């Protein structure tokens, strides 16, 4: 155990505790904008689906019920524009973080193999590589990586933390390069339904990106953000049936099963667009209020055209900004949590309640 844990970086969120204490001491309480966790209610139709499936005494299947697989394939075709998607092209997973962290291990990667991910990125891409002993490799442009020994390439659009949307042409170029060099692509698209400005986010499964074929590519999707289901651990992957078939076998042996009530709730959630539109409206209002308040307070916002975050800077070291905002009772995430390239930025989530967002706006002088 010590040999594995010693490969991992220090858990970053522990560093925020002193600043959280400072923010919590504010007379009007803390406004926690550091973690993008949903705070709004789970939509009623999803709660009802979960409750209706509560009497599930038997083991669920790893591959999911036929009803869930129908919902997954229907959503991937209808929402992502993918074509010819079958049950062999989809696989439910126990939340997307679990998938990201353990994917390199399940792919059989180890010492001598390399895993590529964006220079500014969700920390779990690096963690997954380190868990299996592979070498994590950062990139600005994935096609400039040395393909030798590169076994897995993570894409992330819309980006966490920056909110940048990768243009369709850039995705297509990367997929073509990866196929040419035999590199497996996993595209983390968990914020795809949360585009705000500019071009609409596009999946690697769209025919304009992949040419209508899924060899060598897999997309990762989650219901945590779009449906307020972070507590349900409802996610799935879609793409290359050979890759998914191998993962299905491994996950069967490992007992990595999505609970049956969650499978039923997921199928219902993917079949309803109304609650997604309602949640988007809530986030759009919070985003607009926070963005205006931050910019009015002297911050500059970069990218942030999608996702649940504002990538903000005062052109100073990120921890100075964290400390400054903590004195106002506002807690944000330092940019260096996501790589050294973020050391002069902070990530500001707009997932707090309307009341807490307005409290932050007031403190910023809005």
């Amino acid at each position: 155990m010590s040999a594995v844990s010693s490969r991992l970086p220090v858990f970053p969120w522990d560093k925020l505790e002193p600043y959280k204490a400072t923010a919590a001491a504010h007379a009007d309480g803390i406004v926690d904008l550091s973690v993008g966790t949903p705070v709004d209610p789970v939509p009623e139709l999803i709660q009802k689906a979960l409750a209706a499936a509560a009497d599930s005494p038997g083991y669920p299947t790893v591959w999911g019920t036929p009803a869930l697989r129908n919902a997954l394939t229907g959503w991937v075709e209808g929402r992502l524009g993918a074509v010819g998607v079958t049950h062999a092209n989809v696989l439910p997973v126990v939340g997307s973080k679990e998938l990201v962290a353990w994917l390199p291990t399940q792919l059989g990667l180890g010492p001598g193999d390399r895993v590529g991910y964006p220079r500014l990125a969700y920390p779990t891409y690096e963690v997954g590589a380190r868990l299996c002993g592979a070498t994590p490799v950062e990139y600005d442009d994935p096609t400039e990586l040395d393909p030798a020994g590169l076994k897995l390439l993570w894409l992330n659009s819309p980006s966490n933390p920056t909110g940048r949307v990768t243009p369709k042409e850039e995705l297509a170029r990367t997929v073509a390069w990866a196929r040419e060099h035999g590199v497996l692509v996993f595209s983390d698209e968990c914020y795809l339904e949360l585009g705000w400005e500019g071009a609409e986010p596009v999946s690697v499964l769209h025919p304009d990106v992949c040419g209508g074929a899924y060899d060598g590519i897999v997309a990762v999707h989650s219901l945590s953000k779009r449906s307020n289901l972070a507590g349900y651990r409802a996610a799935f992957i879609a793409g290359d049936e050979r890759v998914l078939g191998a993962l299905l076998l491994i996950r069967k042996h490992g007992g990595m099963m999505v609970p049956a009530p969650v499978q039923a709730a997921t199928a219902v959630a993917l079949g309803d667009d109304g609650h997604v539109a309602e949640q988007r409206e809530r986030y759009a209002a919070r985003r607009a209020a926070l963005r205006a308040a931050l910019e009015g307070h002297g911050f500059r916002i970069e990218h942030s055209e999608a996702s649940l975050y504002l990538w903000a800077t005062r052109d100073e070291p990120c921890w100075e900004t964290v400390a400054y905002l903590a004195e106002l009772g506002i807690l944000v995430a330092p940019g260096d949590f996501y790589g050294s390239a973020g050391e002069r930025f902070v990530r500001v989530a707009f997932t707090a309640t309307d009341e807490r967002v307005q409290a932050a706006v007031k403190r910023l002088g809005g």
Side-chain angles (χ1 to χ4, degrees), residues 322-345:
V322 170
Y324 171 78
L325 289 173
E327 293 292 339
L328 298 179
I330 301 170
L331 188 67
V332 298
D336 66 3
F337 275 12
Y338 308 94
S340 59
E343 61 187 9
R344 298 180 74 82
F345 287 81

mmCIF file of all heavy atoms in Angstrom, residues 322-345:
data_model
loop_
_atom_site.group_PDB
_atom_site.id
_atom_site.type_symbol
_atom_site.label_atom_id
_atom_site.label_comp_id
_atom_site.label_asym_id
_atom_site.label_seq_id
_atom_site.Cartn_x
_atom_site.Cartn_y
_atom_site.Cartn_z
ATOM 1 N N VAL A 322 -6.427 33.841 -3.460
ATOM 2 C CA VAL A 322 -7.225 33.006 -2.557
ATOM 3 C C VAL A 322 -7.317 33.656 -1.182
ATOM 4 O O VAL A 322 -8.396 33.739 -0.570
ATOM 5 C CB VAL A 322 -6.616 31.590 -2.447
ATOM 6 C CG1 VAL A 322 -7.284 30.789 -1.322
ATOM 7 C CG2 VAL A 322 -6.759 30.837 -3.767
ATOM 8 N N ALA A 323 -6.180 34.137 -0.670
ATOM 9 C CA ALA A 323 -6.157 34.771 0.646
ATOM 10 C C ALA A 323 -6.994 36.054 0.656
ATOM 11 O O ALA A 323 -7.733 36.325 1.620
ATOM 12 C CB ALA A 323 -4.717 35.070 1.057
ATOM 13 N N TYR A 324 -6.881 36.846 -0.404
ATOM 14 C CA TYR A 324 -7.631 38.104 -0.494
ATOM 15 C C TYR A 324 -9.135 37.835 -0.462
ATOM 16 O O TYR A 324 -9.888 38.477 0.295
ATOM 17 C CB TYR A 324 -7.243 38.839 -1.771
ATOM 18 C CG TYR A 324 -8.105 40.035 -2.070
ATOM 19 C CD1 TYR A 324 -7.915 41.229 -1.380
ATOM 20 C CD2 TYR A 324 -9.111 39.966 -3.025
ATOM 21 C CE1 TYR A 324 -8.724 42.342 -1.638
ATOM 22 C CE2 TYR A 324 -9.921 41.067 -3.298
ATOM 23 C CZ TYR A 324 -9.717 42.245 -2.600
ATOM 24 O OH TYR A 324 -10.524 43.329 -2.860
ATOM 25 N N LEU A 325 -9.591 36.894 -1.275
ATOM 26 C CA LEU A 325 -11.019 36.599 -1.325
ATOM 27 C C LEU A 325 -11.503 35.943 -0.037
ATOM 28 O O LEU A 325 -12.651 36.157 0.381
ATOM 29 C CB LEU A 325 -11.332 35.721 -2.533
ATOM 30 C CG LEU A 325 -11.215 36.418 -3.897
ATOM 31 C CD1 LEU A 325 -11.384 35.409 -5.029
ATOM 32 C CD2 LEU A 325 -12.243 37.541 -4.029
ATOM 33 N N ALA A 326 -10.649 35.149 0.611
ATOM 34 C CA ALA A 326 -11.033 34.531 1.885
ATOM 35 C C ALA A 326 -11.357 35.585 2.931
ATOM 36 O O ALA A 326 -12.257 35.414 3.764
ATOM 37 C CB ALA A 326 -9.930 33.601 2.371
ATOM 38 N N GLU A 327 -10.636 36.703 2.895
ATOM 39 C CA GLU A 327 -10.919 37.804 3.836
ATOM 40 C C GLU A 327 -12.302 38.407 3.582
ATOM 41 O O GLU A 327 -12.899 38.994 4.489
ATOM 42 C CB GLU A 327 -9.845 38.886 3.729
ATOM 43 C CG GLU A 327 -8.468 38.447 4.207
ATOM 44 C CD GLU A 327 -8.421 38.213 5.706
ATOM 45 O OE1 GLU A 327 -9.301 38.753 6.426
ATOM 46 O OE2 GLU A 327 -7.516 37.491 6.173
ATOM 47 N N LEU A 328 -12.798 38.264 2.350
ATOM 48 C CA LEU A 328 -14.149 38.717 2.030
ATOM 49 C C LEU A 328 -15.184 37.624 2.297
ATOM 50 O O LEU A 328 -16.376 37.813 2.013
ATOM 51 C CB LEU A 328 -14.230 39.127 0.552
ATOM 52 C CG LEU A 328 -13.341 40.284 0.095
ATOM 53 C CD1 LEU A 328 -13.538 40.545 -1.392
ATOM 54 C CD2 LEU A 328 -13.641 41.547 0.902
ATOM 55 N N GLY A 329 -14.720 36.486 2.799
ATOM 56 C CA GLY A 329 -15.617 35.370 3.074
ATOM 57 C C GLY A 329 -15.929 34.520 1.869
ATOM 58 O O GLY A 329 -16.895 33.754 1.866
ATOM 59 N N ILE A 330 -15.107 34.651 0.805
ATOM 60 C CA ILE A 330 -15.328 33.907 -0.445
ATOM 61 C C ILE A 330 -14.179 32.917 -0.644
ATOM 62 O O ILE A 330 -13.010 33.326 -0.647
ATOM 63 C CB ILE A 330 -15.402 34.869 -1.644
ATOM 64 C CG1 ILE A 330 -16.539 35.880 -1.455
ATOM 65 C CG2 ILE A 330 -15.581 34.089 -2.951
ATOM 66 C CD1 ILE A 330 -16.531 37.008 -2.474
ATOM 67 N N LEU A 331 -14.501 31.649 -0.798
ATOM 68 C CA LEU A 331 -13.476 30.627 -1.000
ATOM 69 C C LEU A 331 -13.472 30.184 -2.454
ATOM 70 O O LEU A 331 -14.512 29.806 -3.004
ATOM 71 C CB LEU A 331 -13.737 29.417 -0.091
ATOM 72 C CG LEU A 331 -12.645 28.348 -0.059
ATOM 73 C CD1 LEU A 331 -11.379 28.897 0.592
ATOM 74 C CD2 LEU A 331 -13.127 27.097 0.681
ATOM 75 N N VAL A 332 -12.289 30.233 -3.082
ATOM 76 C CA VAL A 332 -12.130 29.792 -4.470
ATOM 77 C C VAL A 332 -10.970 28.808 -4.545
ATOM 78 O O VAL A 332 -10.215 28.643 -3.592
ATOM 79 C CB VAL A 332 -11.881 30.987 -5.416
ATOM 80 C CG1 VAL A 332 -13.074 31.933 -5.409
ATOM 81 C CG2 VAL A 332 -10.601 31.725 -5.038
ATOM 82 N N ALA A 333 -10.837 28.151 -5.678
ATOM 83 C CA ALA A 333 -9.768 27.167 -5.869
ATOM 84 C C ALA A 333 -8.569 27.825 -6.533
ATOM 85 O O ALA A 333 -8.725 28.525 -7.545
ATOM 86 C CB ALA A 333 -10.260 26.004 -6.720
ATOM 87 N N PRO A 334 -7.361 27.635 -5.984
ATOM 88 C CA PRO A 334 -6.159 28.182 -6.629
ATOM 89 C C PRO A 334 -5.875 27.477 -7.942
ATOM 90 O O PRO A 334 -6.030 26.256 -8.057
ATOM 91 C CB PRO A 334 -5.061 27.911 -5.600
ATOM 92 C CG PRO A 334 -5.557 26.735 -4.827
ATOM 93 C CD PRO A 334 -7.049 26.874 -4.768
ATOM 94 N N GLY A 335 -5.439 28.241 -8.926
ATOM 95 C CA GLY A 335 -5.202 27.685 -10.248
ATOM 96 C C GLY A 335 -4.122 26.633 -10.305
ATOM 97 O O GLY A 335 -4.151 25.757 -11.169
ATOM 98 N N ASP A 336 -3.155 26.682 -9.369
ATOM 99 C CA ASP A 336 -2.072 25.695 -9.435
ATOM 100 C C ASP A 336 -2.513 24.306 -9.002
ATOM 101 O O ASP A 336 -1.750 23.353 -9.123
ATOM 102 C CB ASP A 336 -0.830 26.169 -8.662
ATOM 103 C CG ASP A 336 -1.038 26.272 -7.163
ATOM 104 O OD1 ASP A 336 -2.138 25.934 -6.666
ATOM 105 O OD2 ASP A 336 -0.090 26.703 -6.467
ATOM 106 N N PHE A 337 -3.739 24.149 -8.513
ATOM 107 C CA PHE A 337 -4.301 22.808 -8.298
ATOM 108 C C PHE A 337 -4.366 22.048 -9.620
ATOM 109 O O PHE A 337 -4.380 20.820 -9.635
ATOM 110 C CB PHE A 337 -5.714 22.904 -7.724
ATOM 111 C CG PHE A 337 -5.793 23.057 -6.228
ATOM 112 C CD1 PHE A 337 -4.671 23.346 -5.466
ATOM 113 C CD2 PHE A 337 -7.007 22.910 -5.573
ATOM 114 C CE1 PHE A 337 -4.751 23.503 -4.084
ATOM 115 C CE2 PHE A 337 -7.101 23.058 -4.199
ATOM 116 C CZ PHE A 337 -5.986 23.356 -3.451
ATOM 117 N N TYR A 338 -4.439 22.788 -10.725
ATOM 118 C CA TYR A 338 -4.671 22.193 -12.046
ATOM 119 C C TYR A 338 -3.427 22.226 -12.915
ATOM 120 O O TYR A 338 -3.500 21.939 -14.108
ATOM 121 C CB TYR A 338 -5.843 22.929 -12.718
ATOM 122 C CG TYR A 338 -7.040 22.968 -11.806
ATOM 123 C CD1 TYR A 338 -7.254 24.058 -10.972
ATOM 124 C CD2 TYR A 338 -7.892 21.886 -11.701
ATOM 125 C CE1 TYR A 338 -8.316 24.079 -10.073
ATOM 126 C CE2 TYR A 338 -8.949 21.894 -10.815
ATOM 127 C CZ TYR A 338 -9.148 22.985 -9.994
ATOM 128 O OH TYR A 338 -10.182 22.985 -9.100
ATOM 129 N N GLY A 339 -2.285 22.545 -12.308
ATOM 130 C CA GLY A 339 -1.017 22.584 -13.031
ATOM 131 C C GLY A 339 -0.313 23.903 -12.820
ATOM 132 O O GLY A 339 -0.943 24.932 -12.521
ATOM 133 N N SER A 340 0.981 23.900 -12.993
ATOM 134 C CA SER A 340 1.780 25.105 -12.751
ATOM 135 C C SER A 340 1.389 26.250 -13.680
ATOM 136 O O SER A 340 1.591 27.422 -13.360
ATOM 137 C CB SER A 340 3.271 24.790 -12.897
ATOM 138 O OG SER A 340 3.552 24.302 -14.208
ATOM 139 N N ALA A 341 0.807 25.937 -14.834
ATOM 140 C CA ALA A 341 0.387 26.985 -15.765
ATOM 141 C C ALA A 341 -0.770 27.818 -15.217
ATOM 142 O O ALA A 341 -1.078 28.880 -15.758
ATOM 143 C CB ALA A 341 -0.020 26.372 -17.107
ATOM 144 N N GLY A 342 -1.380 27.354 -14.136
ATOM 145 C CA GLY A 342 -2.491 28.092 -13.545
ATOM 146 C C GLY A 342 -2.114 28.887 -12.313
ATOM 147 O O GLY A 342 -2.990 29.339 -11.579
ATOM 148 N N GLU A 343 -0.811 29.105 -12.122
ATOM 149 C CA GLU A 343 -0.365 29.674 -10.848
ATOM 150 C C GLU A 343 -0.758 31.136 -10.645
ATOM 151 O O GLU A 343 -0.596 31.662 -9.535
ATOM 152 C CB GLU A 343 1.150 29.525 -10.709
ATOM 153 C CG GLU A 343 1.951 30.222 -11.775
ATOM 154 C CD GLU A 343 3.440 29.906 -11.710
ATOM 155 O OE1 GLU A 343 3.823 29.009 -10.940
ATOM 156 O OE2 GLU A 343 4.203 30.563 -12.433
ATOM 157 N N ARG A 344 -1.286 31.818 -11.658
ATOM 158 C CA ARG A 344 -1.736 33.207 -11.486
ATOM 159 C C ARG A 344 -3.245 33.347 -11.711
ATOM 160 O O ARG A 344 -3.749 34.453 -11.950
ATOM 161 C CB ARG A 344 -0.956 34.144 -12.417
ATOM 162 C CG ARG A 344 0.540 34.153 -12.100
ATOM 163 C CD ARG A 344 1.318 35.080 -13.002
ATOM 164 N NE ARG A 344 1.112 36.492 -12.685
ATOM 165 C CZ ARG A 344 1.760 37.152 -11.719
ATOM 166 N NH1 ARG A 344 2.645 36.528 -10.952
ATOM 167 N NH2 ARG A 344 1.518 38.435 -11.509
ATOM 168 N N PHE A 345 -3.958 32.238 -11.614
ATOM 169 C CA PHE A 345 -5.408 32.218 -11.788
ATOM 170 C C PHE A 345 -6.092 31.557 -10.601
ATOM 171 O O PHE A 345 -5.463 30.816 -9.847
ATOM 172 C CB PHE A 345 -5.785 31.446 -13.059
ATOM 173 C CG PHE A 345 -5.472 32.176 -14.336
ATOM 174 C CD1 PHE A 345 -4.181 32.172 -14.853
ATOM 175 C CD2 PHE A 345 -6.461 32.864 -15.018
ATOM 176 C CE1 PHE A 345 -3.885 32.839 -16.025
ATOM 177 C CE2 PHE A 345 -6.171 33.538 -16.200
ATOM 178 C CZ PHE A 345 -4.886 33.526 -16.701
#
